[in-house]
């Protein structure tokens, strides 16, 4: 056994990167939302699958990807997953998805039809609920240089929201409305951001197409403690912290837990795991339940030997978390 077990929360997030494409010192922003033992990657940075494997998280636990928009520091990891990994479910609007196809058809010289076949595209619709893993997602358009979607997730009484790349600054939004750039309804929708969520992931990139740090002064005091800044350059992070704002920290050890795991989640996670194993995929529900009752969970310490050559083959092992290797000699 090569790594320790990561305890997946019932509802929470793990940050994979917290900076942007203009920061030579940081990793581009992306994260995993954990819901009922499943992970949804949001704008995954390149090689994010390997990052999770090094942390003991099996790739099959990631069941979908959300793409917010098609700037390179957000879509590069998605196109990499499409080309190099098993077919993934991609959740975004038709507008963003078609932009992705046109962009990489031009960049890579691949037919859009070929790229479309690499994913299970699940379209989402603005302000209409999308359900995944028992949670409800509400997608909305942010204010950016190109079409970009943020979203709010509700699960068992807890809520988190991700702004995605956006310009948020009340005075600036009002001026844009006065000049006729924004309609009053569009301005009001942007101003009525759900700061009351239990977790607020908000970007703080480089203005004017991103949110300046001064904009957070307008957030009601009772909600400021729920904010974690993402898409913020390394050199700007000390300034944010001096203003009393939290900056997202990358790594599974900094996972934000909104709901802890339960026995029910363990059962669901086991059923999801065996459904991902080829020989069990066609099992009907009664057989899957029988397999569940026959199974037991065993934890191994790092470096511990699980089986040796010549030992009886009396077990069928499935790795739920961590990584194992086979060696001869």
């Amino acid at each position: 056994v090569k790594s320790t077990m990561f305890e997946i929360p019932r509802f929470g997030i793990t940050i994979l990167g917290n900076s942007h494409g203009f920061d030579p010192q940081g990793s581009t922003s992306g994260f995993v939302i954990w819901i009922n033992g499943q992970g949804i990657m949001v704008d995954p940075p390149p090689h994010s699958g390997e990052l999770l494997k090094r942390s003991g998280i099996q790739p099959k636990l990631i069941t979908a990807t959300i793409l917010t928009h098609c700037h390179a520091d957000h879509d590069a990891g998605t196109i990499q997953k499409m080309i190099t990994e098993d077919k993934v479910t991609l959740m975004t609007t038709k507008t963003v998805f078609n932009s992705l196809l046109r962009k990489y058809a031009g960049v890579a010289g691949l037919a859009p039809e070929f790229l479309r076949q690499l994913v299970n595209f699940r379209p989402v619709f603005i302000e209409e609920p999308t359900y995944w893993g028992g949670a409800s997602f509400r997608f909305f358009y942010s204010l950016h240089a190109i079409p970009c979607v943020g979203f709010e997730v509700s699960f068992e009484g807890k809520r988190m929201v991700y702004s995605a790349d956006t310009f948020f600054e009340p005075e600036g939004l009002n001026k844009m409305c006065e000049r006729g750039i924004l309609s009053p309804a569009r301005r009001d929708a942007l101003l009525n951001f759900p700061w009351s969520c239990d977790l607020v992931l908000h970007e703080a990139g480089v203005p004017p197409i991103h949110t300046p740090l001064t904009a957070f002064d307008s957030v009601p005091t009772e909600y400021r403690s729920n904010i974690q800044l993402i898409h913020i350059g390394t050199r700007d992070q000390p300034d944010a912290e001096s203003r009393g704002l939290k900056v997202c920290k990358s790594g599974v050890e900094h996972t934000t837990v909104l709901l802890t795991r339960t026995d029910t989640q363990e059962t669901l996670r086991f059923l999801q795991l065996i459904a991902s194993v080829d020989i069990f995929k066609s099992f009907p529900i009664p057989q899957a339940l029988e397999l569940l009752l026959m199974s037991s969970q065993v934890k191994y310490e790092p470096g511990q030997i699980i089986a040796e050559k010549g030992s009886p083959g009396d077990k069928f092992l499935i790795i739920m978390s961590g990584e194992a290797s086979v060696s001869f000699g």
Side-chain angles (χ1 to χ4, degrees), residues 52-53 56-62 273 319-324:
L52 292 178
K53 283 186 67 176
I57 300 172
Q58 292 298 306
K60 290 182 178 180
L61 294 176
I62 306 298
L273 187 66
I319 300 174
M320 295 189 71
S321 183
E323 187 176 9

Side-chain angles (χ1 to χ4, degrees), residues 300-327:
Y300 295 94
E301 296 298 321
Q304 183 176 346
I305 296 175
I306 299 173
E308 295 182 288
K309 184 178 179 180
S311 59
D314 57 355
K315 298 182 182 67
F316 185 92
L317 302 175
I318 302 175
I319 300 174
M320 295 189 71
S321 183
E323 187 176 9
S325 62
V326 177
S327 60

Side-chain angles (χ1 to χ4, degrees), residues 221-234:
T221 304
E222 63 267 31
Y223 300 140
R224 285 172 64 90
S225 61
N226 298 339
I227 299 172
Q228 292 189 30
L229 299 184
I230 195 168
H231 200 272
I232 179 170
T234 304

Side-chain angles (χ1 to χ4, degrees), residues 23 28 32 55 81 90 116 121 147 169 197 264 272 309:
D23 181 4
T28 56
V32 179
S55 300
K81 286 178 68 66
L90 179 62
R116 188 183 298 272
F121 172 50
E169 200 277 320
C197 286
T264 301
Q272 291 167 344
K309 184 178 179 180

Side-chain angles (χ1 to χ4, degrees), residues 237-254:
Q237 293 178 17
D239 185 17
E241 291 169 343
S242 71
R243 294 171 175 271
L245 297 166
K246 298 177 186 175
V247 176
C248 289
K249 293 184 178 181
S250 303
V252 294
E253 68 274 19
H254 300 299

